[in-house]
Amino acid sequence: MINNKTISRLLVACSLCCGVAAAFSSCNDFLDIKPYDRTVPETTEDFAALVHNLCNDIDNGSGVAGEAIGEYSETELLEADADNMATNLTGGTDRLRTYIGTDLSARQSLYGNLYELIGKCNIILDNYKDGSDTREGQDILGVAYALRGVAYYQLLRMFCAPPLADDAQLGVPIVTEFDMEARPLRSTMQETIDQAERDLKAALNLDIQNDMYRFNNDVLHGYLARLYHWCGRWQEARREAQTVVRNHPLLAGDDYVKMMSTQFGINGNQLLVGNRLPEHQAAIAVANTYLTERPLSADFVNLFVEGTNDIRRKNNLFFNRKRKNRKLIFSGMRSAEMALIAMECAYHLDKQDSALAELNDFRRHRILTADYAYTIETLPAVDNNTLVRQDATGRPLTPLIQAILRERRKELYLENGDRWFELKRHGRPEWWVAVNGQKLWTRKYMFTWPIKLDDTRLQPGLVQNPGYDETF
C-alpha cells in the first residue's frame, strides 16, 4: 500500500525534478537554489509511489506524463490547426483556434514539460538500487525507461525537422542523469533517435508485468513502431506494428462501434488511453461540444466515398449530414494505427502486393458492402489539389500510397493530433485561412515548434529552430 508518508516523500522527490526542467524552461529563480535539505526516494515503496503518480497523470490526462501520452485539449487544438476542419467558414473561437500561429507560443511550454518528465525518470534510473532486481523493481525501472523514451520521441516529433527531410540535422539536448547543473546543447538528429530507441528497448527487455503501470510489451512495441515509422525505418516499423496487430486484431461491426463510442476506460483493441477516468466526463464533453462549432472540410468528408456503407459514417459515428463532428476525442494507442503503419511500410519496402492486400483487409473491416476491395487498376487517381502531394520520402504520390494515406486520415481523425503530424511528415505544405479579412498562413517552419526563447538566452550555443527569433 502507498501511504501518506510515501506520498509526502514522492512530492519531495518531484520537487527535485524541477531542477532539470529549470535548465530547459528558464525558471531563473530556481537556478540559485540547491536542494541540500531534500532527499530522493529510497525504498521500493517510494519509487513505486513516484511511478504510480506518473501513471495516474496518464489516466487523468494531466501533468507531464499525461502530456507526453497526449491529453484531450492538445488533441483538440492540433485538429483545429490542421486541414480536416473548414476554418474559412467559421473562423476561430476562444477555445477552438484558427491556425497554428495562434498556438506556437504555448507550444514552448511542452518542451520544458517533457524535460521535466525526463528528469523524474532520471531520478528513478539514477537512484533506485536496493530492490531493483525484484519483479516489482524491474517494473518500476521499465516504466521509467518507457516514459523517458516516449518523451524523447515526442521531442523529436515536435521540436525537430522530419528525419527524412533535407533539413533534418539537429536533435534535442540529451539528458540521461539527474544533474541540476547540466545544460547540454542540441544533439544530432540520429543521437536523439538512438536515445528514444535505447530507452524503449530497455523497457521492453525488462518485460513490465504490472498492468497498473500501463506500458506492457504491446504498448512498447507500438511506440517502437511509431518511432521507426516517423524515422523512415520501414522494415523495423513494419515488424513492430505487425507484432501488435497479431495480438490485437482489427475490430469490425458492432465491436468497432462500441469501442469508438465509449469515451472512458480501455475498450476494444485500444492499448493505451489517456484521460480514461469518468470523472473527466464533463470537461471532455465540453471539448467535444466545441468541436461541433466548426464543420469538417469538404476535402475530408469527400474521402468517405462509400457514404453510409462506411461504418464510420453509418449512424453519424464520425460526423453528421451537416459535416459536424460526432467522433470522440482519443489520446492513446489502438491497433488500427499499427495496421496502417504496417501497410505503409510495405509500400515503401516495394512490397506492393502486400500493401494492397493489407489495405483491402483494413477496408473490409470498415466498408459494409462487398465491393470494398481495390485492385491496382481501380485505385482512385492521384488528386493533386490536396495538401499532401508527396510521400514521406519526398516522391510524388502514387494511387496506392494515396489510398493508404487516405485511410489513415479517415481512421485517425481526432486522435493524437495525427493529421497535423502527417502533414509534417509529408512535405510540410503551406496554406492559408481567411479570418476577419486577413490571410493567415501556416508556413513550413511552423511544423517544427520553437524551443523556449528564454532557454536560448540562458544557454549560449543552444540553437533555436529556424523561423523563430527573440521577437517571437
Side-chain angles (χ1 to χ4, degrees), residues 65 74 357:
E74 180 70 11

Side-chain angles (χ1 to χ4, degrees), residues 253-400:
D254 291 342
D255 290 336
Y256 177 77
V257 172
K258 180 179 179 181
M259 175 180 67
M260 302 305 291
S261 303
T262 306
Q263 183 77 73
F264 302 103
I266 294 181
N267 305 283
N269 56 19
Q270 296 168 346
L271 286 80
L272 181 67
V273 177
N275 312 284
R276 62 186 279 187
L277 301 180
E279 49 261 41
H280 301 296
Q281 183 172 355
I284 296 179
V286 170
N288 285 322
T289 299
Y290 271 103
L291 287 165
T292 66
E293 291 183 353
R294 184 174 297 167
L296 302 178
S297 67
D299 178 55
F300 175 66
V301 169
N302 290 341
L303 296 178
F304 295 82
V305 295
E306 292 83 7
T308 55
N309 286 322
D310 188 321
I311 197 168
R312 294 165 293 197
R313 285 213 61 181
K314 186 177 176 63
N315 296 324
N316 300 329
L317 185 62
F318 275 25
F319 55 88
N320 63 20
R321 292 182 179 180
K322 295 182 178 180
R323 292 165 38 193
K324 296 296 186 72
N325 177 66
R326 294 289 300 275
K327 186 179 179 183
L328 301 175
I329 294 173
F330 179 79
S331 298
M333 181 186 294
R334 56 189 183 92
S335 64
E337 178 190 354
M338 299 296 117
L340 291 159
I341 286 175
M343 73 179 76
E344 183 187 340
C345 291
Y347 173 85
H348 288 299
L349 292 167
D350 293 325
K351 298 179 178 180
Q352 308 297 299
D353 291 343
S354 295
L356 181 59
E358 290 168 30
L359 172 62
N360 283 331
D361 182 65
F362 190 93
R363 286 171 55 80
R364 178 175 64 86
H365 287 81
R366 300 292 178 264
I367 310 303
L368 304 175
T369 55
D371 58 351
Y372 61 84
Y374 288 130
T375 65
I376 289 295
E377 292 74 25
T378 61
L379 284 164
V382 172
D383 181 1
N384 288 316
N385 294 316
T386 59
L387 288 180
V388 173
R389 302 178 186 178
Q390 65 179 57
D391 67 22
T393 69
R395 296 177 297 185
L397 296 182
T398 65
L400 179 53

